[in-house]
Amino acid sequence: MEAVISVVMQFCGEEMDAYGQCVGQNPKDWLTKCAELKQKAADCSSNHPAVKKINKECSKEYMTYDDCLKRNPENVTICVEALHAFMDCASKSASRIQSAYKTQDYEPNQTKPLS
């Protein structure tokens, strides 16, 4: 999971931090109070090619987790298993991406090969 977090935080750290703080400060109604911040974080992270690949490869796991959160806004701990499944998929995908970047002389924050 470190690889995923590294990729996302490198480009979207501010947005992710703001969203995380909002969720932490609004445990009962984070779904509505943090919707705008969630969208900003999602918009930011979805623009990087590596994150797009992770999202594509792990869309089923993410949708399961997201649906669980929507069904259980008062008790998100019910969704831990779904979260772990998504994190496992994302971690494997990010590791493959990082390996590809390394073997092709890419840097994580670049979309084209280094010259």
Side-chain angles (χ1 to χ4, degrees), residues 1 3 32 41 52-53 90:
M1 193 63 197
T32 54
K52 285 181 181 181
K53 185 160 180 65

Side-chain angles (χ1 to χ4, degrees), residues 1 4 7-8 12 16 38-39 41-66 86-87 89-94 96-97:
M1 193 63 197
V4 176
V7 168
V8 173
C12 307
M16 300 301 287
K38 178 183 179 184
Q39 188 61 51
D43 290 346
C44 178
S45 65
S46 66
N47 288 322
H48 191 272
V51 176
K52 285 181 181 181
K53 185 160 180 65
I54 293 167
N55 288 341
K56 183 178 179 181
E57 291 180 2
C58 302
S59 63
K60 178 184 171 191
E61 291 84 353
Y62 177 76
M63 293 302 288
T64 300
Y65 174 61
D66 194 50
F86 170 67
M87 289 172 54
C89 177
S91 182
K92 289 175 183 173
S93 179
R96 286 191 301 271
I97 291 165

